[in-house]
């Protein structure tokens, strides 16, 4: 991430909320990321800590940062994205005012190097959600960890961490567990996080074992949800699996050849969740019925519609 360090530090420096500490986790980078970071950090005004580990993936890196944090609240930021100046302020003040366990903002996927500092987002617009409402939102629109602020008491009470065996979409099981563990959430109707789109990221790597590890991680989380009687867990059981599997198979169809896709499809018990299709958004519902009709037709339809 060496070429993104300057933008990241500028974004943090420009936050309207100043009382925070940034924990940087170098996950075994092989370029000049660490050198660039250490060269520029003496010029920032915020508190910071730098951690290093051998390359173990995003889940492990985030867990390392979590274990080293003693703050009351945590947010996650990827090194190659942009933040609006109000990102920390709006998230933090919203959860404090609502006495919520977590807060969520919106994100937007933008071309690499897009700067959001000149956007006018207006006055804070926050809405309190129950955990079940938040779970329905997650499995309708996908909530990203970089769009969340999470209370430390959830980590302490529930021992919430990312599944380090999961190498694809490890965010989804983690966020599901966070929401299920919460009593109250806050939703901010603002785009405060800009997700840069570029080639070469882990999420775009078309490897079968990556998708398999994601499915296995999701299934481990699913077993945990079956043990819960919370309203949020019930919402997950009504729609979560169908929404996750159709999303995963859509991504796989874009990135894989048909033979690999067919192998992955055999590992997915999608037909078991046919009854959940009525609960998920329309586009995914149509894709689900198409998959049940013909996996080959689903594959080539996705290839035509989603070219990258």
């Amino acid at each position: 991430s060496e070429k993104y360090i300057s933008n990241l530090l500028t974004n943090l420096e420009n936050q309207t909320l100043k009382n925070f500490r940034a924990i940087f986790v170098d996950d075994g980078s092989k370029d000049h990321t660490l050198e660039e970071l250490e060269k520029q950090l003496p010029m920032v005004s915020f508190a910071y800590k730098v951690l290093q580990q051998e390359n173990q993936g995003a889940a492990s890196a985030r867990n390392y940062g979590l274990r080293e944090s003693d703050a009351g609240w945590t947010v996650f930021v990827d090194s190659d994205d942009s933040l609006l100046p109000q990102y920390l302020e709006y998230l933090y003040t919203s959860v404090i005012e609502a006495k919520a366990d977590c807060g969520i903002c919106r994100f937007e996927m933008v071309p690499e190097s897009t700067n959001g500092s000149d956007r006018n987002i207006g006055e804070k617009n926050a809405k309190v959600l129950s955990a079940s409402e938040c779970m329905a939102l997650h499995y309708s629109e996908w909530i990203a960890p970089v769009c969340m602020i999470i209370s430390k008491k959830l980590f302490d009470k529930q021992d919430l961490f990312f599944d380090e065996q999961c190498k694809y979409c490890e965010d989804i099981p983690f966020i599901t567990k966070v929401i299920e563990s919460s009593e109250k959430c806050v939703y901010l109707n603002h785009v405060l996080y800009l997700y840069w789109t570029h080639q070469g990221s882990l999420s775009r790597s078309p490897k079968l074992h990556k998708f398999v590890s994601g499915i296995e991680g999701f299934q481990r989380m699913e077993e945990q949800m079956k043990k819960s009687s919370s309203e949020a867990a019930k919402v997950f059981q009504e729609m979560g699996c169908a929404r996750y599997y159709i999303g995963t198979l859509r991504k796989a169809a874009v990135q894989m050849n048909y033979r690999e896709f067919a192998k992955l499809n055999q590992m997915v018990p999608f037909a078991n969740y046919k009854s959940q299709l009525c609960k998920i958004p329309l586009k995914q519902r149509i894709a689900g019925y198409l998959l049940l009709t013909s996996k080959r037709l689903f594959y080539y339809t996705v290839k035509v519609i989603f070219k990258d």
Side-chain angles (χ1 to χ4, degrees), residues 195-208:
Y195 185 97
W196 286 0
T197 56
H198 47 253
Q199 297 292 329
S201 67
L202 177 65
S203 62
R204 299 182 67 87
S205 175
K207 295 180 180 178
L208 179 60

Side-chain angles (χ1 to χ4, degrees), residues 84 106 180 206:
L84 268 69
R106 291 163 50 205
E180 195 278 328

